[in-house]
Amino acid sequence: MNHCAVVLAAGEGTRMQMPGAKVLLPVLGKPMIDWVIGAVLEAGVDDCCLIVGKDLEQVRARVGDGVCYALQLERKGTGHAVRQAEDFLRAHSGGHCLVLAGDSPLISGGTIRRAGRMHLEEGNAVTVISAVVGEPFGYGRIVRDVSGGLLRIVEEKDADPNQRRICEINSSAYWFEVDALLEALPEIGAGNEKGEYYLTDAVEILLRAGRRAGAYVAQDADEILGANTQRQLLTLQQVALGKVLDRHLENGVMISSVDGLTIGPDVVIGPGTVLHQGCRLLGSTRIGAGCVIGPGSVIEDSEIGDGVTVNASQVYRSRVGDKTRVGPFAHIRPDCVVGEEVKIGNFVELKNSTIGKKTSIAHLTYVGDADIGSGVNLGCGVVTVNYDGRAKYRTTVRDRAFVGCNVNLVAPVEVGEGAYVAAGSTITSPVPADALAIARARQENKEDWVKKREGQQKP
Ligand code: UD1
Ligand code: CA
């Protein structure tokens, strides 16, 4: 079947009172548009056109070129938005098109598929996905005849008091027969309260033309929640978090407190892992079994092994091996691979570095652009001096080396296997394996210096 999807994402989010594309606002750290495109793919539709406005480049930078784009430079309503995809739709003539709103991220692939099945079975020209909610304010209402047949969708502003009492609402997700949609689009007018071209009017237009229209009621009303305002965005976030937490709790993740917890929908967590309050686990993060995470940790797009502790620390786009301890107050910046049973202690920053098994970097240390072997000890206050103001250079510290406290390793430089570097050294040339490097002024004691100085002072 020649299925395709059109996602409406040209809204400016005026009601959010924030600049930029509304569909890029995050829900659990994941932009709304990513949620919607995920649902399209989950529903088995892979040819997707995004309707975007002046934020095209911003949206494209996030979404990429796996979808095509149609521009809607003037925001004249959802019907006008879909019209911008007429060429795309014509290329799918004879098929069916899913239309979704970019600001309704919780719709699931399952609901879309079930609605699609009903759409085909009933031979509908349009099937609206609806839901019955307790608080319908602000949504378009589904108006049915006495026998339950779909008649039309009425927007909040255009509804009469009786219609406003209807609790079945339009999700803004629809299946259309492509050719029927192409016929209906030019018929849509803007004679309503808002003066916009409403896609919702396509229902009445198609019924008048003798075509069939139906509404599929979503089993889980939460899936249709839209985000027009900051309050709705927050509500959506809470609903989404509830669903994510349920999944992890069922899988044996222990959550000591949900206060301040954010867990992205794609995060994977192994059984027996404990999450403390205030953690933000985001993006494609995968956490193993038996870990302790938090309080207040941020882990984004990272892979954490089994039995790891991340205590009040941050990890970005990196890998951390089994049984490693991170924190408190450590910062692992992108592109690090930290081995097993490593200790990364307080006020340690790592960036673009590899750290071998059982290495200890326990306090106040910066490791950037470095390859640190296994069984290494970096003392308190070791600094890889990786930047000369123009370019970055790498530091290598081989297995079992011992680097004393307050040492500068001026890159490019290498400390050989098993070598020692004396505390306070500034190392600028290679240290051979098993050698001791001392690179600091020798201590000189001036005997009785203080007494002599006092003797010189005037009484
Ligand atoms: C819309 C529906 C309403 C439904 C609700 C569900 C219409 C007329 N109304 O109302 O029945 O209950 O969604 O959340 O469709 N957009 C564009 N270009 C435009 C206008 C909108 O791309 O010119 C996009 C927006 O970015 C948004 C989506 O279309 O992603 C829906 O538009 P919005 O203005 O939020 O519609 P609602 O008032 O929420
Ligand atoms: Ca909306």
Side-chain angles (χ1 to χ4, degrees):
M1 183 60 83
N2 186 13
H3 286 351
C4 63
V6 170
V7 176
L8 310 183
E12 286 164 21
T14 324
R15 288 167 282 184
M16 287 288 176
Q17 312 214 35
M18 255 180 128
K22 169 161 87 166
V23 295
L24 291 179
L25 293 177
V27 169
L28 302 183
K30 177 172 174 167
M32 289 200 275
I33 191 68
D34 285 5
W35 287 75
V36 176
I37 291 172
V40 171
L41 294 175
E42 205 189 315
V45 180
D46 50 20
D47 202 355
C48 182
C49 178
L50 245 59
I51 313 293
V52 286
K54 59 178 168 45
D55 301 307
L56 166 68
E57 286 315 321
Q58 232 186 321
V59 175
R60 196 206 290 265
R62 172 71 210 185
V63 176
D65 289 320
V67 300
C68 65
Y69 296 88
L71 262 184
Q72 187 202 23
L73 287 173
E74 271 182 293
R75 198 186 175 290
K76 293 184 182 170
T78 46
H80 179 259
V82 176
R83 264 198 103 170
Q84 312 311 306
E86 273 180 344
D87 291 345
F88 173 83
L89 289 170
R90 267 190 216 104
H92 291 85
S93 174
H96 294 269
C97 180
L98 170 68
V99 175
L100 295 176
D103 67 348
S104 299
L106 301 189
I107 190 138
S108 70
T111 295
I112 294 170
R113 250 183 285 129
R114 284 187 286 277
R117 218 173 295 139
M118 173 182 146
H119 175 73
L120 293 179
E121 279 167 12
E122 295 190 351
N124 290 339
V126 54
T127 303
V128 182
I129 299 180
S130 72
V132 178
V133 297
E135 185 41 83
F137 179 82
Y139 290 96
R141 308 298 205 283
I142 303 289
V143 184
R144 294 179 183 263
D145 62 22
V146 278
S147 57
L150 178 61
L151 283 179
R152 70 182 72 88
I153 301 170
V154 182
E155 290 306 295
E156 175 79 36
K157 284 197 173 155
D158 305 298
D160 63 36
N162 275 335
Q163 290 168 333
R164 286 201 178 126
R165 276 194 284 274
I166 298 173
C167 285
E168 186 183 358
I169 61 161
N170 169 26
S171 69
S172 220
Y174 321 76
W175 276 104
F176 280 97
E177 195 184 286
V178 169
D179 298 314
L181 176 59
L182 280 166
E183 274 168 42
L185 285 174
E187 303 288 315
I188 294 175
N192 49 54
E193 270 299 308
K194 270 175 111 178
E196 286 188 356
Y197 297 86
Y198 286 165
L199 180 61
T200 44
D201 287 352
V203 170
E204 221 180 338
I205 290 167
L206 288 168
L207 284 170
R208 243 190 283 127
R211 307 301 310 270
R212 294 180 62 96
Y216 172 84
V217 187
Q219 288 153 12
D220 177 1
D222 286 341
E223 280 188 24
I224 57 80
L225 288 171
N228 291 333
T229 62
Q230 294 288 352
R231 177 154 300 283
Q232 286 174 331
L233 187 62
L234 180 61
T235 302
L236 233 149
Q237 190 128 269
Q238 286 164 332
V239 168
L241 181 63
K243 288 180 198 283
V244 168
L245 289 181
D246 282 347
R247 182 160 48 82
H248 292 301
L249 291 168
E250 273 161 30
N251 289 345
V253 174
M254 188 177 150
I255 294 170
S256 73
S257 164
V258 294
D259 288 348
L261 209 57
T262 300
I263 305 179
D266 305 320
V267 171
V268 176
I269 308 175
T273 285
V274 181
L275 304 181
H276 293 301
Q277 68 258 41
C279 286
R280 287 174 63 77
L281 311 178
L282 303 172
S284 58
T285 292
R286 301 176 73 88
I287 294 173
C291 296
V292 179
I293 311 293
S297 291
V298 179
I299 305 180
E300 198 174 305
D301 296 328
S302 293
E303 205 173 303
I304 310 292
D306 295 331
V308 172
T309 301
V310 179
N311 178 12
S313 293
Q314 308 208 339
V315 183
Y316 298 91
R317 216 176 67 217
S318 289
R319 277 184 5 230
V320 176
D322 296 348
K323 296 187 189 152
T324 282
R325 286 172 297 151
V326 179
F329 317 120
H331 185 188
I332 301 183
R333 291 167 53 200
D335 303 320
C336 288
V337 179
V338 179
E340 296 171 12
E341 296 176 62
V342 170
K343 172 152 178 48
I344 307 294
N346 39 239
F347 308 108
V348 170
E349 175 179 339
L350 309 182
K351 185 214 78 173
N352 185 24
S353 292
T354 59
I355 313 292
K357 192 172 175 173
K358 291 192 175 173
T359 282
S360 173
I361 309 175
H363 349 253
L364 299 163
T365 288
Y366 172 63
V367 177
D369 305 307
D371 299 295
I372 312 293
S374 55
V376 168
N377 184 83
L378 299 187
C380 177
V382 171
V383 173
T384 56
V385 183
N386 59 330
Y387 185 51
D388 65 1
R390 289 198 184 132
K392 302 265 168 78
Y393 302 94
R394 287 196 84 80
T395 299
T396 305
V397 178
R398 300 269 178 213
D399 294 350
R400 293 183 312 283
F402 185 100
V403 180
C405 293
N406 211 27
V407 164
N408 299 310
L409 300 170
V410 182
V413 76
E414 177 171 328
V415 177
E417 209 173 307
Y420 269 59
V421 176
S425 293
T426 291
I427 299 296
T428 53
S429 47
V431 180
D434 298 319
L436 166 66
I438 309 176
R440 51 169 141 92
R442 186 177 286 276
Q443 181 173 334
E444 190 186 340
N445 290 340
K446 300 195 186 241
E447 296 294 337
D448 293 330
W449 180 88
V450 176
K451 283 184 187 155
K452 283 177 195 158
R453 188 180 63 166
E454 279 169 359
Q456 284 165 1
Q457 277 168 0
K458 288 176 191 157

